[in-house]
Amino acid sequence: MTHLEDLPIRADLRGKTPYGAPQAVVPVALNVNENTHPIPEVVAHDIVARVAAAVIGVNRYPDREFTELRTALAGYLGHGVRPEQVWAANGSNEVLQHVLQAFGGPGRTALGFAPTYSMYGLLAAGTGTAWVTAGRDEAFELSPETAVAAVREHDPDIVLLCAPNNPTGTPLSLETVRAVADAARGIVVVDEAYIEFADPGSESALTLLAGRPRLAISRTMSKAFAFAGARVGYLAADPALVDALRLVRLPYHLSAITQAAALGALAHAREMLAMVDEIRGQRERISAELERLGFRPYRSGANFVLFGGVEDPHATFEALLARGILIRDVGLPGSLRVTAGTETETTAFLEAMAAFAPNRIEA
C-alpha cells in the first residue's frame, strides 16, 4: 500500500496533518462551536423550496458574481456596506484562502497573535505564505500597544485578527483594530466569525471600513445562523480589494444551491438569530458555574468558553466523552474549551464537570 510519505508531496507539507477536530456521534456534542439549536421549521421549509427551485436550473452555471446574494449580505451587514464591497465563498475559510492567494504567497508573510484559529497557519502554508505569530497580553487579551509592536517588528503583508478570538473567546477592541489598520502597510483582516454573540452594544470593525482600503471584515453564516452545514462565508471590504479576490477564485465557485440556501436564511435573519440571546445566556451560565467550581473561565464574546484550572485536560476530555459529552482539548496547558449549547446540553456538561472541580468537597 502506498503511503503519503511515498508520494512527491511538496517539501513544506511533509509531516503536516490536516485540520480537523475529533468526531464522534454522542448525545452532547459541544466541541466545534456549532450553533446546536436547529433551524426553525418554517425557515427550513422556505429554504428547501428555494433550493428545489434552484435545482430545476442546475443544468446552467450559477450567477458567477452571486449578485442577489451580495445584495442580501450587504443589507444584513448594514453600516453603509454596498453589494460591490461584499465577497462570499464556501465558508469563511475559503474567503480567507482567497485573501492569502491574492495578497500572500512565496516571499510574503502573514501575522497572527497566538493562540488563535489554527486554520490561519494551515491556509498560509497551503498558499506558500510564511506564517509568523506574536504573543498576547495576560489572559489572552490583545492591547493596541502589543499588536502594533508586533506589526512593526514583522512588517507583514497580511495581518489576521480574530475578533472574538478562537480558541480563547477573547473580545478585541476597536482601538486595537484601528491601531493595527493604521500601522500595517499590508492587508488587515478582522475575522468576526463569532461577532453576533458579542455582548450587546459591542461594535463591529465594519464601522472602521470607510477610508481604509486595505481593511477587510470576514464573517460566516456557520455560527449564529446555525448554517454550518451549508458552508457560507463572506467578507466586506473596499471594492478594489474585492476585485483582487476575483483573480484567484475558481470559476462559479458558489453553486446555485448554496446561493439559494443562503438567500433563504438571510430572508429570515430575525428568526435565524432568535436563539443568539439564549446561547449568550448559556455562555454566561457556563462561566459562572465553572468559576464556582474552582476553574478559571476566560472572558468570552463568542459562543464558547475556554477555561483553565484543569488538572489533566486529556483525562478530563476522555472521561466526559465516556459520558457522551464531547468538548475540545485545544492544546493549551491546563485548559479545555466548551461550546455553549442548549440549556439541556449545558446542564449535562456542568453536572459532569462537577466531578473534576478543584473546589469539590468529598463526601
Side-chain angles (χ1 to χ4, degrees):
M1 177 183 291
T2 300
H3 297 282
L4 179 61
E5 57 267 24
D6 299 323
L7 299 175
I9 192 172
R10 279 169 26 194
D12 60 315
L13 294 181
R14 288 193 179 278
K16 294 186 178 296
T17 56
Y19 172 84
Q23 295 190 108
V25 179
V26 294
V28 181
L30 301 173
N31 64 321
V32 288
N33 304 336
E34 297 160 318
N35 184 334
T36 64
H37 296 67
I39 292 176
E41 187 174 351
V42 64
V43 179
H45 286 313
D46 186 30
I47 292 173
V48 168
R50 291 170 183 258
V51 169
V55 167
I56 295 173
V58 292
N59 59 308
R60 301 288 188 180
Y61 285 117
D63 175 9
R64 185 177 57 236
E65 300 302 328
F66 46 96
T67 308
E68 188 178 358
L69 178 56
R70 292 168 80 185
T71 300
L73 287 168
Y76 170 71
L77 288 174
H79 294 88
V81 173
R82 306 185 306 278
E84 60 267 28
Q85 292 180 267
V86 175
W87 187 247
N90 297 285
S92 58
N93 287 328
E94 187 177 53
V95 171
L96 297 174
Q97 183 179 58
H98 288 163
V99 172
L100 284 157
Q101 287 176 311
F103 298 102
R108 297 194 173 193
T109 300
L111 169 69
F113 295 87
T116 193
Y117 184 33
S118 60
M119 271 303 299
Y120 296 158
L122 292 175
L123 290 169
T127 57
T129 308
W131 172 241
V132 296
T133 58
R136 292 175 168 268
D137 301 310
E138 186 179 357
F140 307 118
E141 301 287 338
L142 184 60
S143 68
E145 295 76 17
T146 297
V148 169
V151 169
R152 289 175 176 162
E153 177 185 355
H154 297 286
D155 189 30
D157 298 278
I158 301 169
V159 181
L160 293 166
L161 298 171
C162 198
N165 186 51
N166 181 13
T168 65
T170 318
L172 186 67
S173 71
L174 283 188
E175 288 74 21
T176 298
V177 176
R178 184 184 296 108
V180 170
D182 293 345
R185 65 169 175 80
I187 301 299
V188 176
V189 180
V190 184
D191 182 355
E192 291 190 340
Y194 298 93
I195 193 64
E196 284 94 347
F197 300 105
D199 291 335
S202 300
E203 287 191 282
S204 164
L206 290 167
T207 59
L208 303 177
L209 271 181
R212 292 183 171 89
R214 299 187 313 280
L215 178 64
I217 316 302
S218 174
R219 295 277 191 96
T220 182
M221 296 183 72
S222 293
K223 308 303 181 181
F225 271 85
F227 227 48
R231 311 306 302 129
V232 182
Y234 56 102
L235 170 152
D238 188 271
L241 194 155
V242 171
D243 283 343
L245 305 185
R246 282 194 180 90
L247 300 176
V248 297
R249 61 105 181 266
L250 293 174
Y252 309 103
H253 70 291
L254 273 181
S255 75
I257 292 173
T258 298
Q259 293 182 43
L263 283 166
L266 288 164
H268 296 274
R270 186 183 299 275
E271 298 99 309
M272 295 288 278
L273 298 177
M275 70 283 285
V276 166
D277 284 344
E278 180 183 342
I279 293 169
R280 194 185 292 119
Q282 294 304 316
R283 178 192 74 201
E284 296 308 310
R285 178 188 172 204
I286 289 170
S287 293
E289 181 62 13
L290 287 176
E291 185 172 23
R292 188 188 70 80
L293 291 171
F295 296 103
R296 183 191 181 185
Y298 292 95
R299 189 167 76 104
S300 177
N303 69 332
F304 58 85
V305 176
L306 177 76
F307 59 99
V310 184
E311 184 176 350
D312 188 335
H314 179 71
T316 303
F317 171 88
E318 292 293 342
L320 290 173
L321 183 58
R323 295 184 59 165
I325 301 169
L326 180 61
I327 63 170
R328 188 76 176 267
D329 183 349
V330 295
L332 295 176
S335 299
L336 290 168
R337 191 191 71 191
V338 61
T339 305
T342 64
E343 181 178 2
T344 300
E345 291 169 332
T346 298
T347 297
F349 163 73
L350 291 173
E351 288 179 349
M353 282 303 299
F356 307 97
N359 291 345
R360 182 165 61 98
I361 300 175
E362 297 292 346

